[in-house]
Amino acid sequence: MAENHPTRSRGLALAVLCTASLMVVLDSSIVAVALPAIQADLGFTPAGLAWVVTAYLVAFGGLLLISGRLGDLLGRRRVFLGGLGLFTLASLAAGLAADAGVLVVARFAQGVGGALASAVVLGMIVTMYPEPRARAKAIGVYSFTQAAGASIGLIAGGALTQALSWHWTFYVNLPIGVAALLLAVRVVEADRGTGLRQGLDVLGAVLVTAAVMLGVYGISSSSWGAVVAAVVLLAAFAVRQGKARTPLLPLRLFRIRAVAGANVVMVLMVAGMLGFQFVTALYLQQVLGLDALGTGVAFVPVPLVIAVASLGFADRLAARFGPRAVLLSGLGLVIVGLLLLTRVSVGGAYFTDVLPPLLLMGLGAGVAIPALMGLSMADVPAADAGVASGLINTTQQVGAAVGTAVLAAVAASRTESLGAVDHREALAAGFRLAYGVSAGFLIAAVALGGLVLARRTRPAPASVPAVPAAPEPEVCIAGQA
């Protein structure tokens, strides 16, 4: 996208990209509160019901990396439009589904379309906004969609299911998807990919797609055989990338300290923050007795605070103190919120025991996530912006799967060990332990971020145009004076 893109048109293009990204993100959680209604209507078995969520996550997480690379080769707008069209059609099929098998297949197709559409968005944004301050602001808008999407999904899912039916958790995507497609054709500038003649590492694509799909499935279903197979395939993928003439994921990206560190921090951060949402939804319903709609409404403050922080002042903080300092400070606020939640009890109340930590965590996430997104694209060569965007989205999905699985297992194990105690008290004890583990993930993220991201960002070679990072005090950023 050209640097002389008119400001108004560029802003509208950003709105279209972020709206589509938000729609894709919230679809990972919008069906969560609708699952009982879906089970009753379509006759899912308890084990089969999990596939309504898992089919989407497996396809979405598994295809993000190759989707980002296809954006580099074929053009990011082309891949974005194709993915958004598929996602919208699959949403219609899911809403019309009359049996369990059709719904699962439609959810898988949604995941494929969602991966194609969302994997290239961050790469399009950093190319569209070359100016550091403007880019920081744009990444703040994008980060809001990533950070608040799951909470908005819970809210929307509860409201739509209770007011209309579970079908509308999918139908709601139709007007949004069609409008985004029509606007994207007009306002998102076309770009030229490097072309398939540059080569696509098919073997590498198969290995990493299978590895991530098996990993997400194994973690979410506690199938450790699948997890082991995923690790083996991932190791084979790494070996392949070192030998391939045109690798799917150039290993040179991991020599950029900010890129490597940001992706590892993303796994730990999302593991704690997305897992916390899962645990909190259960606490509100199973211990405090809220219904589906009430649980969704209880999360409303989270996206609101994230919006105020990420859209209002996160960019100014990053410009003043640097993205690393803002990231670590934001994660510190999230840790304090999680530690406060380790005190929840059967006699707890939403407004005194849950809402204050939620507000604190929303504030922390609202400033930390834009800073981390900016660091993840620091000094990335322009030709690799798509695959770098796909990479950070992939690690985000892996973190979500790891966090949800680990915290669910920890909470369930603790509850079962207290079987002789009052059931609600045992549940609360399990949730308290899960919050402590969640805080542990964030503490590890802070420690790693402070260590790995402490050094100067390594400039990209002068012969390769780089995507400049947000400014950091005392740090030389490639592509800036």
Side-chain angles (χ1 to χ4, degrees):
M1 298 180 186
E3 292 187 17
N4 61 353
H5 211 295
T7 301
R8 182 175 178 182
S9 178
R10 191 169 66 168
L12 184 55
L14 175 65
V16 171
L17 294 174
C18 289
T19 298
S21 179
L22 177 63
M23 181 176 65
V24 170
V25 170
L26 66 83
D27 236 66
S28 64
S29 62
I30 195 171
V31 299
V33 294
L35 289 176
I38 292 174
Q39 182 177 22
D41 199 11
L42 299 185
F44 273 97
T45 64
L49 187 63
W51 278 100
V52 177
V53 175
T54 304
Y56 181 85
L57 294 178
V58 164
F60 185 67
L63 294 171
L64 280 167
L65 197 56
I66 188 173
S67 296
R69 186 57 177 163
L70 285 174
D72 292 332
L73 298 177
L74 300 176
R76 292 170 200 134
R77 190 184 79 151
R78 183 180 299 175
V79 171
F80 171 77
L81 293 174
L84 185 57
L86 176 58
F87 181 87
T88 304
L89 288 173
S91 296
L92 175 61
L96 294 173
D99 65 66
V102 171
L103 180 56
V104 170
V105 171
R107 287 288 284 168
F108 188 89
Q110 273 190 307
V112 174
L116 289 167
S118 63
V120 295
V121 168
L122 185 57
M124 296 168 78
I125 291 173
V126 297
T127 305
M128 188 165 59
Y129 286 87
E131 313 90 354
R133 278 297 297 272
R135 172 179 296 159
K137 188 74 173 178
I139 288 178
V141 177
Y142 171 76
S143 299
F144 164 73
T145 70
Q146 301 298 296
S151 296
I152 295 173
L154 291 173
I155 298 164
L160 290 169
T161 301
Q162 194 152 319
L164 298 170
S165 72
W166 65 264
H167 300 274
W168 283 92
T169 61
F170 302 111
Y171 289 151
V172 71
N173 293 330
L174 302 182
I176 300 172
V178 171
L181 273 170
L182 294 176
L183 285 171
V185 171
R186 291 178 59 86
V187 303
V188 177
E189 187 174 326
D191 59 313
R192 293 176 61 88
T194 57
L196 286 175
R197 63 183 178 278
Q198 294 292 325
L200 178 64
D201 181 16
V202 176
L203 177 58
V206 171
L207 288 172
V208 73
T209 299
V212 177
M213 283 185 171
L214 278 172
V216 172
Y217 166 73
I219 293 168
S220 60
S221 62
S222 299
S223 174
W224 300 114
V227 173
V228 171
V231 171
V232 172
L233 288 173
L234 199 59
F237 170 72
V239 172
R240 169 65 183 175
Q241 297 312 284
K243 297 180 178 179
R245 183 174 63 87
T246 54
L248 178 66
L249 177 60
L251 297 182
R252 64 178 179 271
L253 286 178
F254 294 103
R255 292 197 292 269
I256 303 172
R257 198 173 181 86
V259 175
N263 276 275
V264 178
V265 170
M266 177 64 82
V267 172
L268 294 168
M269 181 179 75
V270 174
M273 291 174 60
L274 264 293
F276 128 82
Q277 289 190 335
F278 170 80
V279 171
T280 302
L282 292 178
Y283 172 72
L284 292 173
Q285 293 185 74
Q286 297 179 356
V287 178
L288 297 190
L290 274 65
D291 60 15
L293 181 59
T295 299
V297 172
F299 278 96
V300 167
V302 177
L304 291 179
V305 175
I306 290 174
V308 170
S310 61
L311 306 181
F313 52 81
D315 61 318
R316 294 197 295 274
L317 289 178
R320 174 67 179 84
F321 300 105
R324 173 181 168 271
V326 173
L327 168 65
L328 299 181
S329 299
L331 293 182
L333 292 177
V334 176
I335 291 169
V336 173
L338 287 168
L339 292 177
L340 289 174
L341 284 171
T342 61
R343 301 165 58 248
V344 298
S345 65
V346 171
Y350 169 74
F351 286 103
T352 56
D353 299 299
V354 179
L355 181 58
L358 288 184
L359 296 175
L360 200 59
M361 294 176 68
L363 178 60
V367 297
I369 293 177
L372 185 59
M373 288 291 186
L375 287 167
S376 74
M377 301 298 290
D379 302 328
V380 174
D384 294 327
V387 73
S389 173
L391 177 62
I392 195 67
N393 278 284
T394 300
T395 54
Q396 189 174 354
Q397 291 303 307
V398 170
V402 169
T404 301
V406 169
L407 297 185
V410 165
S413 176
R414 177 62 173 162
T415 298
E416 290 173 7
S417 71
L418 298 173
V421 181
D422 174 76
H423 182 60
R424 289 174 65 231
E425 183 57 53
L427 285 170
F431 297 145
R432 286 194 295 270
L433 179 58
Y435 286 131
V437 173
S438 189
F441 280 127
L442 271 296
I443 291 170
V446 168
L448 186 67
L451 178 66
V452 176
L453 300 176
R455 297 184 181 179
R456 292 172 181 261
T457 303
R458 182 175 180 173
S463 60
V464 182
V467 176
E472 177 105 32
E474 305 291 319
V475 178
C476 177
I477 302 297
Q480 297 179 27

